[in-house]
Amino acid sequence: MSRENFNELLSFLAVAQERSFTRAAARRGVTPSALSHTMRLLEERLGVTLLTRTTRRVVPTSAGEYLLSNIQPLFDEIENKIASLDEFRSAPRGELRITATDEALTYFLRPKLANFLKKYPDIAIEVSTDMKLIDIVDESFDAGIRLGEMVAQGMMSVPVSPAIEFVVIGAPSYFREHPAPKKPNNLTEHNCIGVRLPTYGKLYKWLFRQNGKDVKFQPSGQFICNNVFSARDACLDGIGLAYLPRVVVESHIASGELVPALEKICPTHVGFHLFYPRHNQYSMPLALFIEEMKLA
């Protein structure tokens, strides 16, 4: 591609994004008339109309929208590759915004985070914990950490934990008053603690694997919360049964504070994955973070 063609496409991107020749011209450091002339030359060369011009605004045509959506990621990739030159600095620097669930942060991120920050003192990290399945691009996060099965299609991802076992648990005091369930149907006789999913507003369904088939159970009881730690604490208080990742309750099971049930039919889920948009893979701070956090 010639330098002139390259500049024409950059000018088109500016106009299509700003929806104004005046603002786009200021962004490109040229006059509006010069920018308008450049756009006419580009449209003549391509043989299609890219912009609809009115006295108040400039709007891309369908052909213009097609060109915009296809070349914008390429220019983003170029910018990210240039940003990756941080690799050649003696001290990589930058900022990362990460979204993770509470348990992912506690058990898989936190053990490695301090070492990473000491190793790279010029990299700053902001972590936001939330169970909501957010669009990390729209919310301006560099990466997210969720169970592998919840990672959106099209995202790059690497595992940061082994497979996650789930387990039904309750306190000994609860089981002294209620017989332990032997099969999923018995759970209707129990006070089941619900965890509400913020994305859909529904309670997380309990999944079992019985006779080669998946069996889902909708919990019902006196207590509902929105994170696994609150559900675990409710179990410790003897309120009822909960369905939680074993890693969250392992120490309490070992100490006898909590007792597992239905272990043989509780499934193992894909572990936590760190995921990120493809165009972010050239960010040096993110590349270093991925290398530090990924499962060995």
Side-chain angles (χ1 to χ4, degrees), residues 187-225:
L187 291 169
T188 58
E189 304 164 11
H190 287 268
N191 203 2
C192 294
I193 296 163
V195 176
R196 191 172 298 284
L197 298 174
T199 302
Y200 306 110
K202 299 178 180 179
L203 297 184
Y204 187 80
K205 290 185 178 180
W206 300 9
L207 178 66
F208 303 96
R209 187 73 178 171
Q210 192 174 35
N211 300 322
K213 296 182 180 179
D214 287 339
V215 177
K216 292 185 177 181
F217 172 73
Q218 182 68 62
S220 177
Q222 292 179 280
F223 186 72
I224 295 172
C225 54

Side-chain angles (χ1 to χ4, degrees), residues 99 101 130-134 139 146 197-199:
T99 173
T101 61
D130 198 333
M131 285 188 67
K132 184 163 47 172
L133 300 177
I134 66 174
E139 299 287 341
R146 296 289 186 275
L197 298 174
T199 302

Side-chain angles (χ1 to χ4, degrees), residues 142-204:
D142 296 288
I145 300 177
R146 296 289 186 275
L147 287 174
E149 62 201 43
M150 296 181 178
V151 174
Q153 288 187 346
M155 289 284 173
M156 306 283 285
S157 71
V158 297
V160 295
S161 84
I164 301 294
E165 292 182 53
F166 273 68
V167 63
V168 174
I169 46 101
S173 60
Y174 178 84
F175 282 124
R176 281 196 291 271
E177 299 179 8
H178 307 83
K182 302 298 182 183
K183 53 187 178 179
N185 287 345
N186 296 150
L187 291 169
T188 58
E189 304 164 11
H190 287 268
N191 203 2
C192 294
I193 296 163
V195 176
R196 191 172 298 284
L197 298 174
T199 302
Y200 306 110
K202 299 178 180 179
L203 297 184
Y204 187 80

Side-chain angles (χ1 to χ4, degrees), residues 109-296:
L109 220 59
R110 183 184 171 194
K112 298 180 178 180
L113 202 52
N115 183 62
F116 177 82
L117 293 174
K118 288 178 183 176
K119 190 185 298 185
Y120 304 108
D122 291 323
I123 295 179
I125 295 179
E126 176 185 344
V127 179
S128 174
T129 55
D130 198 333
M131 285 188 67
K132 184 163 47 172
L133 300 177
I134 66 174
D135 185 319
I136 62 173
V137 177
D138 285 349
E139 299 287 341
S140 299
F141 285 99
D142 296 288
I145 300 177
R146 296 289 186 275
L147 287 174
E149 62 201 43
M150 296 181 178
V151 174
Q153 288 187 346
M155 289 284 173
M156 306 283 285
S157 71
V158 297
V160 295
S161 84
I164 301 294
E165 292 182 53
F166 273 68
V167 63
V168 174
I169 46 101
S173 60
Y174 178 84
F175 282 124
R176 281 196 291 271
E177 299 179 8
H178 307 83
K182 302 298 182 183
K183 53 187 178 179
N185 287 345
N186 296 150
L187 291 169
T188 58
E189 304 164 11
H190 287 268
N191 203 2
C192 294
I193 296 163
V195 176
R196 191 172 298 284
L197 298 174
T199 302
Y200 306 110
K202 299 178 180 179
L203 297 184
Y204 187 80
K205 290 185 178 180
W206 300 9
L207 178 66
F208 303 96
R209 187 73 178 171
Q210 192 174 35
N211 300 322
K213 296 182 180 179
D214 287 339
V215 177
K216 292 185 177 181
F217 172 73
Q218 182 68 62
S220 177
Q222 292 179 280
F223 186 72
I224 295 172
C225 54
N226 67 353
N227 67 76
V228 296
F229 294 119
S230 295
R232 180 197 62 192
D233 292 346
C235 282
L236 288 168
D237 293 337
I239 291 176
L241 302 182
Y243 179 81
L244 298 171
R246 181 179 282 273
V247 66
V248 175
V249 295
E250 192 69 70
S251 64
H252 299 284
I253 292 175
S255 68
E257 295 173 283
L258 292 173
V259 179
L262 300 174
E263 287 184 279
K264 291 184 178 180
I265 61 171
C266 286
T268 297
H269 292 248
V270 176
F272 286 98
H273 279 59
L274 189 154
F275 64 96
Y276 51 95
R278 185 176 298 273
H279 64 262
N280 275 7
Q281 64 184 309
Y282 302 107
S283 162
M284 181 51 55
L286 181 59
L288 293 170
F289 184 75
I290 292 169
E291 187 63 27
E292 186 79 18
M293 299 297 157
K294 72 181 182 180
L295 189 64

Side-chain angles (χ1 to χ4, degrees), residues 4 7-8 11 33-43:
E4 289 76 14
N7 286 331
E8 285 176 353
S11 295
S33 60
L35 187 58
S36 179
H37 178 68
T38 299
M39 289 300 93
R40 283 196 297 272
L41 291 178
L42 177 61
E43 289 175 325

